[in-house]
């Protein structure tokens, strides 16, 4: 069973760091959420995966995936929890570059055009990585019905998804860690 407070505590213990950081988006930050310290830990991945399955309980979808490498452990965890709960679900991985051999595709996994899918990301700042994954899976012919994140930094990601008509949810926000959201342009 998903224990939200336990996940917050685990982030404090393992993943929340303070200092001077440059994020993938190019923005500067006084804190960093090293989500791999959670998603590559047995208990952390279990909490995240149970939380995401619960968060998506009312969403009709057949597959979950996202940009490799960040989404890889999350997808595996969610598929495992789904199977334990008797729910049929597939996963997919979105490559940053097309495969250099074989079919040369961006998407790996058993998803077909028309499949309703969820795109998952670990930490959402501006939403850029998730939107790249959305573009690739839509080019593949799938229908993105939801975008989810483990943590929303509250720096414009939700607005970027809304501009594209994509519903967004997150398990946690930076407010859950006692951090005030920044002013977003």
């Amino acid at each position: 069973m998903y224990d939200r407070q336990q996940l917050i505590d685990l982030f404090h213990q393992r993943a929340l760091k303070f200092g001077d950081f440059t994020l993938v988006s190019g923005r500067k930050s006084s804190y960093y959420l090293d989500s791999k310290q959670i998603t590559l830990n047995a208990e952390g991945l279990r909490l995240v995966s149970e939380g995401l399955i619960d968060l998506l309980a009312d969403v009709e979808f057949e597959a979950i995936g996202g940009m490799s490498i960040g989404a890889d452990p999350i997808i595996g965890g969610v598929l495992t929890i789904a199977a334990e709960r008797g729910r049929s679900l597939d996963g997919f991985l979105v490559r940053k570059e097309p495969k250099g051999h074989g079919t040369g595709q961006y998407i790996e996994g058993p998803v077909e055009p028309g499949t309703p899918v969820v795109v998952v990301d670990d930490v959402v700042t501006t939403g850029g990585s998730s939107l790249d994954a959305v573009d690739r899976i839509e080019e593949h012919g799938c229908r993105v019905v939801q975008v989810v994140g483990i943590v929303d930094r509250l720096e414009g990601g939700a607005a970027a998804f809304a501009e594209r008509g994509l519903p967004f949810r997150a398990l946690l926000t930076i407010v859950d860690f006692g951090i005030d959201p920044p002013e977003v342009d």
Side-chain angles (χ1 to χ4, degrees):
M1 170 153 231
Y2 172 59
D3 184 327
R4 188 172 184 279
Q5 188 57 53
Q6 189 178 357
L7 182 58
I8 291 168
D9 293 345
L10 201 58
F11 262 96
H12 275 292
Q13 294 163 15
R14 298 181 65 101
L16 181 59
K17 301 173 184 350
F18 293 93
D20 279 332
F21 302 97
T22 302
L23 307 175
V24 172
S25 64
R27 294 183 183 194
K28 297 289 187 183
S29 179
S30 62
Y31 72 93
Y32 182 71
L33 290 160
D34 186 358
S35 65
K36 297 342 172 258
Q37 298 300 316
I38 303 299
T39 61
L40 294 173
N41 166 266
E43 185 64 11
L45 182 59
R46 183 188 62 78
L47 289 166
V48 164
S49 301
E50 288 177 345
L52 289 173
I53 288 287
D54 291 350
L55 187 68
L56 294 166
D58 64 338
V59 178
E60 291 187 30
F61 67 106
E62 296 174 16
I64 187 167
M67 194 64 76
S68 211
I69 283 183
D72 295 1
I74 303 165
I75 297 160
V78 168
L79 294 177
T80 300
I81 297 299
E84 287 176 356
R85 294 184 181 183
R87 186 184 193 299
S88 177
L89 193 61
D90 287 323
F92 63 91
L93 306 175
V94 180
R95 294 174 174 274
K96 287 179 177 41
E97 299 293 327
K99 194 168 164 180
H101 60 281
T103 58
Q105 58 192 4
Y106 279 98
I107 307 298
E108 295 293 340
V111 288
E112 299 294 328
T115 303
V117 304
V118 169
V119 169
V120 65
D121 203 350
D122 50 3
V123 178
V124 174
T125 304
T126 62
S129 294
S130 295
L131 289 172
D132 287 346
V134 166
D135 290 344
R136 295 281 185 245
I137 196 67
E138 286 180 341
E139 287 167 9
H140 189 73
C142 294
R143 210 169 27 91
V144 178
V145 296
Q146 183 76 50
V147 178
V148 294
I150 299 172
V151 180
D152 183 356
R153 290 179 57 105
L154 303 174
E155 294 187 36
F161 300 134
E163 283 179 24
R164 293 273 301 269
L166 298 165
F168 172 68
R169 300 176 183 173
L171 281 179
L172 304 170
T173 73
I174 58 165
V175 174
D176 294 310
F177 305 115
I179 299 170
D180 291 330
E183 298 286 326
V184 178
D185 302 333

